[in-house]
Amino acid sequence: MPFVALLTGVFLLGIADSMVNSYIVLFGADVVGLTPLQIGVWSSVLAVGGITISWWLGRLFDRRPARAYTIVVILLGAAGYLLLSRVQSYLALLLMAATVLAAMGAAFPQLFALARAVLGEGTAGQRSAPLLRSAWSLAWAVGPLLGALVLSRGGYSWLFWVAAGVFLASALAVLGVPRPGSAAVVSASSGRVPVLLTLSVTLFFTAMFAGSLALPLFVTRVLHQQPASVGVLFSVCAAVEVVATLGLAVVPAGVSQRALILGGFGSFVCYFALTVVSSSMLLLIIGQVLRGVGIAIVGAAGIRYFQDLLAPATGRATTLYANASTAGLLVSGILAGLAVENLGYRAALLLCAVTAALGGLAFTLGSRRPVGRQHTQTAHEPNRGFRSR
């Protein structure tokens, strides 16, 4: 079945992604000897490369839908992680971040665009986003713990090699997805960028990624927890994401998506506020519950919101959302590095809370008009604009 193949591909991609990204900060700091600012710059270079490649492939997908884009970028990323443990030069790390590792960033939006193209614009296509997002969250519940096990037995080399193997398995799963049909005709209005909505997603993920850079160092340096505890926290968050995202798939159509997404922003702000005052693992874990709820709602409902807004331009809609999140990574690298070095870990996390709150405000302003799916148009049908739910 197409959906099973897509679900498997997303799950395996998430497993490998969470295995490496839960510990990439500690790898840079402890093995390569990078400063927080250098790690931030590396993350920003990775983001720029990911935005560029994703934007190009998103437009290409709308003109000529294909599963090959996903497979190629996964293979490039897998090759990059096979080499990563052997690289000690900061310049080489930056070059890899801008090319092969950045290509991996396009796999996520390509999979979601492929799902919408293969499953259609009906109920199955719309529900695919939260269901696939739940597979991604489940992967993040398992991946960090698997990564911790591999890391404790074989070090960072084995961690990256095992992750590369899982990436390859993800690419094989995508081969089971049928080739998508021809591209739908996209109206001119679907290309108008919803600026405030895009800004809100960027701010949300700026807070998320900056927090992800600061949290491992805060937990290990300030609270003096073991590195493996970082994996436990990320896994708790991901487990909550799975439950919350599956819940979104069965939410009645009459429930306001706008209200849900605003609730996600609020939950995320509360997570940072609680983490800042935490002094034990218990409070940190409670904070991760709030974090998981926020990421699930904004992550799953947000993708569907953008796909409905810009339908039938599936590739561009999904890429716009994904690039907004990657832009958050771009900003967060420098932001987190400077904040940690100059203000300290708690102040950096507090700054993340403010950033998430500003994202919620931007979404409130940008979503005042009801957003619905456009009619899919033929070449001879006039533009009728958006229809409300």
Side-chain angles (χ1 to χ4, degrees):
M1 294 176 60
F3 183 74
V4 174
L6 286 163
L7 198 70
T8 303
V10 170
F11 178 71
L12 292 174
L13 183 72
I15 287 284
D17 185 75
S18 60
M19 284 180 65
V20 294
N21 284 309
S22 295
Y23 304 100
I24 196 71
V25 171
L26 297 178
F27 168 76
D30 297 339
V31 177
V32 186
L34 304 181
T35 67
L37 182 57
Q38 286 179 314
I39 294 173
V41 171
W42 184 86
S43 298
S44 296
V45 170
L46 180 67
V48 171
I51 288 174
T52 304
I53 296 171
S54 296
W55 174 82
W56 175 59
L57 289 180
R59 296 182 67 86
L60 190 59
F61 186 94
D62 284 335
R63 293 197 300 269
R64 187 178 297 175
R67 61 189 182 182
Y69 311 136
T70 304
I71 295 172
V72 169
V73 295
I74 292 177
L75 293 178
L76 287 174
Y81 282 109
L82 282 173
L83 297 174
L84 189 60
S85 62
R86 299 178 178 274
V87 178
Q88 296 295 315
S89 165
Y90 185 56
L91 182 59
L93 287 172
L94 290 176
L95 181 61
M96 291 178 65
T99 54
V100 290
L101 298 183
M104 183 67 77
F108 183 85
Q110 282 293 311
L111 276 170
F112 278 76
L114 184 61
R116 190 77 172 231
V118 170
L119 300 177
E121 294 286 338
T123 302
Q126 289 192 327
R127 288 186 175 178
S128 66
L131 290 174
L132 293 178
R133 190 61 174 76
S134 70
W136 181 265
S137 300
L138 179 61
W140 266 87
V142 177
L145 295 178
L146 179 59
L149 177 63
V150 175
L151 186 61
S152 65
R153 299 295 179 86
Y156 285 102
S157 294
W158 275 100
L159 175 67
F160 295 141
W161 294 342
V162 172
V166 180
F167 279 130
L168 290 174
S170 175
L172 290 175
V174 178
L175 286 174
V177 181
R179 291 183 175 88
S182 58
V185 176
V186 180
S187 66
S189 65
S190 67
R192 296 174 184 170
V193 179
V195 178
L196 283 175
L197 296 177
T198 305
L199 175 63
S200 71
V201 173
T202 298
L203 290 171
F204 179 88
F205 283 100
T206 296
M208 191 191 84
F209 288 124
S212 296
L213 288 172
L215 184 67
L217 299 174
F218 171 70
V219 170
T220 57
R221 270 58 167 179
V222 177
L223 301 185
H224 306 293
Q225 299 291 331
Q226 294 297 316
S229 64
V230 176
V232 172
L233 292 174
F234 283 137
S235 293
V236 168
C237 173
V240 173
E241 280 186 60
V242 173
V243 177
T245 309
L246 287 174
L248 288 174
V250 297
V251 168
V255 175
S256 169
Q257 295 296 304
R258 180 178 187 267
L260 280 174
I261 295 173
L262 285 174
F265 276 98
S267 180
F268 212 57
V269 172
C270 292
Y271 146 65
F272 283 115
L274 181 60
T275 301
V276 165
V277 300
S278 293
S279 58
S280 66
M281 279 294 292
L282 177 60
L283 289 179
L284 290 172
I285 289 174
I286 295 174
Q288 291 300 309
V289 173
L290 295 171
R291 181 176 184 257
V293 170
I295 294 174
I297 294 175
V298 178
I303 291 175
R304 184 167 58 188
Y305 198 88
F306 272 66
Q307 287 180 335
D308 289 347
L309 176 65
L310 299 179
T314 303
R316 269 175 275 185
T318 312
T319 301
L320 177 61
Y321 178 90
N323 277 352
S325 67
T326 308
L329 175 61
L330 170 63
V331 176
S332 70
I334 302 297
L335 177 67
L338 290 174
V340 166
E341 286 196 349
N342 295 285
L343 302 176
Y345 300 105
R346 293 186 191 273
L349 292 169
L350 184 60
L351 183 59
C352 292
V354 174
T355 303
L358 290 174
L361 176 61
F363 186 85
T364 301
L365 297 175
S367 60
R368 283 179 175 177
R369 290 184 178 182
V371 176
R373 281 194 305 122
Q374 283 184 299
H375 293 288
T376 301
Q377 300 172 1
T378 66
H380 302 290
E381 185 178 3
N383 174 26
R384 302 182 189 275
F386 299 119
R387 58 184 176 93
S388 60
R389 291 185 182 273

